[in-house]
Amino acid sequence: MPAIINFLQQTGFYMFGQDGNWKCLIMIAVSFVLLYLAIVKGFEPLLLLPIAFGMLCTNLPGADMFHEILFAGGHVHWDLFGGAPITQEFLTEMSEAGVADAVLAPWAVGSTVSLGLLDVLYLGVKLGIYPCLIFMGVGTMTDFGPLIANPKSLLLGAAAQLGIFMTYVGTQLLGFTSQESSSIGIIGGADGPTAIFVTSRLAPELLGSIAVAAYSYMALVPVIQPPIMKALTTKEERKIVMKPLRQVSKKEKIIFPIMITVFVALLVPSAAPLIACLMLGNLFKESGVVERLQKTAGNELMNIITIFLALSVGCTTSANTFLNTRTLFIIVLGLIAFSFGTAAGVLCGKVMYKLTGGQGNPLIGS
């Protein structure tokens, strides 16, 4: 009988009854909703499905697949990865750094961390590896020809970043730090890897909330954008058929990624890893001499990294850090950033429509 009782007490079913673990049930329910949206509704399934499954895994009591303490305070604690015991000095330092008590409470002085699968996979996010490799794959599938042929369309992309800056200012008024505000505002850029890259650098404790918000809104583009586009344009403007752009030469397409890499890396060095990988992938495509590398980066490698990235991001959405009012603020502010980005792009499109004598369709601003 004692053996049976001991076995039952080690099961996750028993652990649900312990203090605080009821929150895990809520997160598991949220993961089921996201799985439903990905599988049944088809909302960004390539990303939403593994993110939701990672959320499910990290909130199963006793599974120990991800340990937040290894990354407490926004840093990788390599000594704990190596099996070093947790010290009182470490717990005190993390507490003073603002790490939630729920993260530190389960760990006693002298205990060690038994690495889980997701602990290891998450290093690729924390070290900024996965987002960059994703961008390399994206580059192999991107045609910059329309931008080269019509450089003024760059202004549309710039205008669409307004949501980022408006949200940044708004979050500062709500008491978020500048690093947290930057991470929340980047949701308005409507680009998952960029949001993950920026957040992993500036506010890793918000990574789960921001990633879920960013990818959810990207999945809901057909729901969020049309009302905004319709409200800001007339029926006549939406009917405009634009003229075909000039044919861009192969030479231009080869020079473009090299030129952009040099210019952006010198202008904004912190963006160099992302932009370099994006442009390397594009150079694979446009050069035409490394077909095997292009196919690998755009298919096999990108698919593998997508699994690792999404699963790792999902694992950060533990009940201890996800269920709070800040998460709700992030989700709402992310929607504002996304919506204002769309609106600003469309309004810039309307300005270009006027300046070109009605030749440009404002909807391309979205």
Side-chain angles (χ1 to χ4, degrees), residues 309-325:
L309 173 67
L311 193 61
S312 301
V313 167
C315 77
T316 65
T317 58
S318 66
N320 291 333
T321 56
F322 194 85
L323 291 179
N324 52 58
T325 54

Side-chain angles (χ1 to χ4, degrees), residues 161-230:
Q161 308 312 305
L162 178 64
I164 295 176
F165 299 103
M166 292 187 64
T167 306
Y168 176 87
V169 174
T171 50
Q172 289 282 283
L173 299 177
L174 292 173
F176 288 91
T177 66
S178 58
Q179 290 87 350
E180 292 171 340
S181 297
S182 300
S183 300
I184 297 170
I186 204 67
I187 296 174
D191 183 78
T194 302
I196 291 172
F197 184 84
V198 170
T199 306
S200 65
R201 288 287 194 272
L202 301 181
E205 69 279 4
L206 302 181
L207 181 59
S209 306
I210 288 174
V212 169
Y215 282 117
S216 295
Y217 294 140
M218 287 167 61
L220 293 173
V221 162
V223 177
I224 298 172
Q225 285 195 331
I228 299 173
M229 296 157 66
K230 188 174 182 180

Side-chain angles (χ1 to χ4, degrees), residues 71-222:
F71 308 96
H75 304 288
V76 180
H77 300 291
W78 295 107
D79 52 338
L80 298 183
F81 268 88
I86 294 174
T87 63
Q88 183 60 54
E89 292 77 10
F90 172 79
L91 294 176
T92 302
E93 181 185 351
M94 291 299 101
S95 179
E96 293 175 350
V99 177
D101 292 338
V103 175
L104 303 177
W107 302 97
V109 175
S111 60
T112 58
V113 181
S114 179
L115 293 182
L117 171 64
L118 296 179
D119 293 326
V120 179
L121 292 182
Y122 182 66
L123 286 172
V125 177
K126 185 60 186 170
L127 300 177
I129 298 171
Y130 296 158
C132 293
L133 293 181
I134 289 286
F135 258 42
M136 187 186 299
V138 170
T140 66
M141 297 180 285
T142 302
D143 180 11
F144 287 108
L147 174 61
I148 299 172
N150 185 25
K152 63 178 179 288
S153 62
L154 178 69
L155 299 174
L156 297 172
Q161 308 312 305
L162 178 64
I164 295 176
F165 299 103
M166 292 187 64
T167 306
Y168 176 87
V169 174
T171 50
Q172 289 282 283
L173 299 177
L174 292 173
F176 288 91
T177 66
S178 58
Q179 290 87 350
E180 292 171 340
S181 297
S182 300
S183 300
I184 297 170
I186 204 67
I187 296 174
D191 183 78
T194 302
I196 291 172
F197 184 84
V198 170
T199 306
S200 65
R201 288 287 194 272
L202 301 181
E205 69 279 4
L206 302 181
L207 181 59
S209 306
I210 288 174
V212 169
Y215 282 117
S216 295
Y217 294 140
M218 287 167 61
L220 293 173
V221 162

Side-chain angles (χ1 to χ4, degrees), residues 254-272:
I254 291 175
I255 293 175
F256 182 81
I258 300 172
M259 178 186 68
I260 292 298
T261 300
V262 173
F263 178 75
V264 174
L266 293 176
L267 181 66
V268 190
S270 60

